[in-house]
Amino acid sequence: MWTIVLTYMLPTVKTWGTYYTAIQMYTAMLVLGGVMVAMLGFYRTGSIAFFIGALLILLLKFPYINLMIEIAPQLAYEQYHWVAIQCGLLMVALILIALNSWLSKKIMMIYLLGFVCTLVAELCGRIAFYNLWTIPL
């Protein structure tokens, strides 16, 4: 994972050469991996990993967007719909996983729906990330 992060943190691509690139990669690993771990039966561990990752994604989204607006305003404004979809789906997944955490008997379909919402949310986040690719002249 660390080598993938280093591959994308290019100093020549100003919108990618920030510590937010690493945070996005690792939080994606936490949310998707957390749901998968919960689906494998480790409910508490998976849910905790998911909640930590999801909260970090949501809390750091505004500072990230503000930084992108400073670096490449037009590109950043064009990504708002992808970011909104990502945050909305992640909120749905948070509600689903929290609901399932409160139930005494875990329902696998709820975890599966949470995983699908999280996967689509992270794909939207990747689209926004890749759309911010720019090399200043």
Side-chain angles (χ1 to χ4, degrees):
M1 188 61 171
W2 179 245
T3 57
I4 292 171
V5 170
L6 291 177
T7 301
Y8 284 101
M9 291 183 67
L10 302 170
T12 54
V13 181
K14 298 291 183 198
T15 52
W16 289 2
T18 71
Y19 60 89
Y20 283 109
T21 297
I23 291 170
Q24 288 181 46
M25 301 285 180
Y26 288 118
T27 54
M29 183 177 62
L30 274 175
V31 292
L32 290 168
V35 176
M36 290 298 290
V37 167
M39 289 173 66
L40 291 172
F42 301 98
Y43 306 117
R44 186 177 180 93
T45 304
S47 295
I48 289 170
F50 172 79
F51 287 128
I52 289 170
L55 291 175
L56 282 172
I57 290 169
L58 293 171
L59 291 174
L60 294 173
K61 196 54 72 174
F62 286 114
Y64 171 69
I65 291 297
N66 287 335
L67 179 62
M68 292 304 108
I69 288 171
E70 288 177 21
I71 296 171
Q74 185 60 34
L75 286 176
Y77 288 125
E78 292 170 0
Q79 306 317 309
Y80 273 134
H81 61 283
W82 293 114
V83 172
I85 293 169
Q86 179 189 20
C87 291
L89 285 170
L90 204 52
M91 291 296 292
V92 170
L94 264 169
I95 292 167
L96 289 171
I97 302 303
L99 173 69
N100 216 16
S101 294
W102 287 104
L103 297 175
S104 58
K105 184 175 190 248
K106 308 304 181 210
I107 301 171
M108 193 56 60
M109 185 56 72
I110 293 177
Y111 281 127
L112 183 60
L113 286 171
F115 177 78
V116 169
C117 287
T118 304
L119 179 63
V120 174
E122 285 305 305
L123 288 174
C124 290
R126 289 315 119 231
I127 291 169
F129 174 78
Y130 288 119
N131 284 347
L132 288 168
W133 183 80
T134 180
I135 297 179
L137 299 175

